[in-house]
């Protein structure tokens, strides 16, 4: 269910207090085990992960890429600064971020940000951000709550975007079923479910892009509390056939 009525989030905003206040106005009472999926954009805004393009001086590499992609060289420069490396630059700019995510434009985005000259960056440490928000929520509500910070990613071989977990606190991110048996008694040897990504994707159905619901409450999913970080979902480079 969406938690409606959040104010415009600005640098320094207390996200936990904003969520609790909005839930109170909507007569939503939190319960132990509730999961809050929070859009990356408002986390970045609250942490001040914003860049004014007017302050950016593009490098020669940024100018070259911008010319080829027909993009603003200042925005391309921000992408380069947020990247470990550029994975692909034909038609679309795919980068590996400093976190290890492989995504379009290194997560740099200008949607849902007031003004035409401002872009948001991904949180510096999304798992740490999720842990901080979860602790603040638990303190204010007295309930055991888990937090997922979600962002929208594309996927190889499949059209369309889906939300994934880039930061988590309080719940397992992977469900390892290897060694268990299916209904026919066959042993599973490779099945590991990306639970946090599936929960983020489910929440994404309610978030929308213009609906103004950046926080979604998930209730009823059974899990054991865990400190497993979302960074564990990132496939190690040595196991990645496509890097």
């Amino acid at each position: 269910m969406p938690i409606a009525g959040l104010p415009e989030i600005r640098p320094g905003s207390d996200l936990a207090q904003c969520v609790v206040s909005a839930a109170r106005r909507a007569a939503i009472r939190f319960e132990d085990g509730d999961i809050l999926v929070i859009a990356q954009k408002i986390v970045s805004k609250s942490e001040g992960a914003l860049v004014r393009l007017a302050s950016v001086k593009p490098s020669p590499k940024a100018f070259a890429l911008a010319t080829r992609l027909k993009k603003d060289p200042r925005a391309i420069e921000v992408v380069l600064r947020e990247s470990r490396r550029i994975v692909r630059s034909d038609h679309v700019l795919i980068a590996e971020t400093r976190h290890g995510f492989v995504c379009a434009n290194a997560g740099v985005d200008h949607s849902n940000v007031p003004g035409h000259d401002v872009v948001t960056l991904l949180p510096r440490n999304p798992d740490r951000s999720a842990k901080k928000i979860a602790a603040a929520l638990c303190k204010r509500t007295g309930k055991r709550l888990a937090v997922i910070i979600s962002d929208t990613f594309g996927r190889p071989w499949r059209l369309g975007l889906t939300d994934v977990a880039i930061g988590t606190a309080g719940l397992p991110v992977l469900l390892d079923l290897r060694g268990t048996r299916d209904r026919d008694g066959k042993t599973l040897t490779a099945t590991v479910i990306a639970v946090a990504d599936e929960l983020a994707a489910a929440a994404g159905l309610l978030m929308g892009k213009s609906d103004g619901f950046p926080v979604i409450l998930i209730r009823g999913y059974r899990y054991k509390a865990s400190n497993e970080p979302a960074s564990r979902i990132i496939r190690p480079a040595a196991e990645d056939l496509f890097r």
Side-chain angles (χ1 to χ4, degrees):
M1 67 187 80
I3 297 180
L6 268 78
E8 176 65 29
I9 302 301
R10 306 182 187 282
S13 292
D14 186 333
L15 267 187
Q17 187 57 55
C18 289
V19 170
V20 170
S21 297
R24 185 179 299 119
R25 289 192 297 270
I28 295 173
R29 293 187 178 184
F30 293 111
E31 299 178 4
D32 284 332
D34 281 353
I35 302 168
L36 286 169
V37 182
I38 303 176
Q40 161 269 320
K41 188 64 60 68
I42 65 170
V43 177
S44 293
K45 287 180 179 179
S46 71
E47 294 180 351
L50 306 164
V51 175
R52 289 198 173 275
L53 295 181
S55 68
V56 177
K57 183 178 180 180
S59 62
K61 183 175 182 179
F63 272 116
L65 285 170
T67 300
R68 187 195 314 166
L69 297 170
K70 299 181 179 179
K71 300 288 186 180
D72 186 330
R74 301 171 301 173
I76 297 296
E77 177 62 28
V78 178
V79 171
L80 293 176
R81 294 177 185 179
E82 292 298 300
S83 303
R84 288 181 183 171
R85 65 188 180 97
I86 300 301
V87 177
R88 185 183 179 96
S89 59
D90 297 329
H91 307 297
V92 64
L93 193 58
I94 305 296
E96 180 179 352
T97 72
R98 67 166 68 90
H99 320 79
F101 305 133
V102 177
C103 58
N105 300 315
V108 176
D109 192 11
H110 59 76
S111 64
N112 288 317
V113 183
H116 298 287
D117 191 46
V118 181
V119 294
T120 59
L121 316 178
L122 295 179
R124 182 66 56 175
N125 186 327
D127 282 316
R128 183 173 61 200
S129 299
K131 187 175 181 180
K132 180 180 177 180
I133 295 168
L137 285 168
C138 292
K139 182 177 180 180
R140 285 170 171 79
T141 65
K143 302 296 183 181
R144 178 178 56 82
L145 307 176
V147 167
I148 295 173
I149 297 174
S150 68
D151 196 11
T152 305
F153 277 27
R155 301 159 297 161
W157 306 299
R158 298 183 70 82
L159 295 175
L161 305 172
T162 188
D163 283 81
V164 302
I166 65 168
T168 57
L171 79 166
V173 299
L174 298 171
L175 177 61
D176 192 344
L177 298 178
R178 292 174 296 183
T180 64
R181 296 183 182 276
D182 66 13
R183 293 182 63 182
D184 294 320
K186 298 173 184 175
T187 301
L188 301 176
T189 60
T191 304
V192 181
I193 307 298
V195 170
D197 281 350
E198 294 199 333
L199 292 167
L205 293 173
L206 290 180
M207 282 185 177
K209 291 300 178 185
S210 59
D211 296 334
F213 298 140
V215 180
I216 304 297
L217 171 62
I218 295 178
R219 178 173 295 162
Y221 176 74
R222 298 175 63 183
Y223 64 95
K224 292 183 178 179
S226 171
N227 291 320
E228 198 174 28
S231 58
R232 187 162 175 244
I233 304 174
I234 300 172
R235 189 184 298 276
E239 299 175 15
D240 193 334
L241 298 177
F242 309 101
R243 290 203 222 185

